[in-house]
Amino acid sequence: MVPLLVLILVVQVFVAESAPAEDEITYLPGLAKQSSFRQYSGYLNTSENKHLHYWFVESEGYPERDPVVLWLNGGPGCSSLDGLLNENGPFLIANVIYLESPAGVGFSYDDNKQYRTNDTEVSFNNYLALKEFFRLFPEYKKNKFFITGESYGGIYVPTLAERVMSDREINFKGMAVGNGLSSFEYNDNSLVYFAYYHGLLRSSLWNDLQKFCCSEEICNFHNNKNKTCMSKVMEVMHIVSFSGLNVYNLYADCIGGVPGQVHFDQNQKQLVIHNLENLFPKSEMSLLWRKKQQNMYQSYMNVRLDPPCTNTTACSDYLNNPDVRRALHIPPFVQKWEVCSAEVYMNYQILHRDMKDQYLKLLAARKYRILVYNGDVDMACNFIGDEWFVNSLNQEVQVNRRTWLYKDENGDQVGGFVKEFTNLAFLTVKGAGHMVPSDKPNAAFTFFSRFLHKEPY
């Protein structure tokens, strides 16, 4: 007969080493077949007032030993559930945490509805959320852990990694950034070249840009003091952002047709603003557009912020279904889910314009793997700027730029190009836009699997 005290201790150990049962998703409405893997949805409390919503999907392989991956979408102010439902989906070789950050994004909230924040506060709260996750899921503490994300995740990911690398309780192994905003300056300067060599600019405009923005073969399109230069840069910005092109994928159609800068959603009775993704933030056009956004937001509070040339109706309808909200354990008082929060975006303070210091700190440790990858037809965070950024880190080259391959039903295919340094790689995905996993799922699965398993690209 087992003594009662021993039984109590066994129960206590079992509870301490298992995931929170109250967060488990036992049924998801609308699915023809329920998932065979375990999922969890709930809140990671980073303070008394801030509650960050997470959706955790266990690996379909061997969750007890597969890596744990954090995924962060960008914005700032956009939901990582867009990554789960429209980009990544459940993963075969990793356990993935989708965190809606900062508070005010998606189903995340602040008791006091104080949604003014900045890069430093966000990285700290994301770190606290991670600590809370591993407290709730202690069985994953020993698994390899990676931080990943895209777009403004180019800021979120390295600033969080800088904090996590100092925490010995987290088995941190590296980070991956997709189409990330690593440097505002490189992103702006490279976009002009991208636009010209993709046939978007007339020859006379290109000649004027060279004449008024360049000196001794060095061009400054980012914050040039020459007014004529910046007026020409605004012409570039208008073509890229306001002419009807899909800024996220140059060769893809604009879903729903060309929407214009602002339109009114009759069904939702909302004013819809389209975000410029922080392009040329110092230009007069950006400053005027930002001011116009603020005025519209203040005078017409029911404002929705949508990424241009995307349709978020399916995700919004599903996640705002009352049965789905209950399945995800979302309290009734939590705001309606939207892909991006206008309130968070309008009140966000950008503190970092370049991530070089964070990357160099991680690389100096000589034990973290870093992957920077870009779909090569994205204009929001183009591949040239990120390649310039990676080259500026001045790391030792291990493998010169070459093609990398993946398999599809027709055999081996060129996925893009890769250049490898010590603990760092820069990789392009041929024909993919801003949301690489959506555009090229087979290629994305291949290179991401190789990254996680430290295999040659």
Side-chain angles (χ1 to χ4, degrees), residues 12-61:
Q12 287 177 337
V13 169
F14 177 77
V15 171
E17 294 298 325
S18 61
E22 65 274 14
D23 285 359
E24 185 168 5
I25 301 171
T26 56
Y27 176 81
L28 272 177
L31 299 187
K33 181 183 178 181
Q34 294 298 308
S35 63
S36 59
F37 48 87
R38 296 168 73 182
Q39 304 180 68
Y40 297 83
S41 171
Y43 285 89
L44 303 173
N45 301 321
T46 62
S47 69
E48 291 183 2
N49 299 321
K50 295 186 186 299
H51 314 277
L52 300 187
H53 174 249
Y54 79 95
W55 189 332
F56 176 55
V57 182
E58 286 192 345
S59 165
E60 294 186 62

Side-chain angles (χ1 to χ4, degrees), residues 180-205:
L181 189 58
S182 303
S183 163
F184 281 77
E185 182 176 355
Y186 284 142
N187 195 47
D188 287 351
N189 283 337
S190 59
L191 179 57
V192 178
Y193 289 96
F194 182 101
Y196 177 66
Y197 288 110
H198 281 82
L200 306 187
L201 310 183
R202 66 186 185 276
S203 296
S204 60
L205 174 57

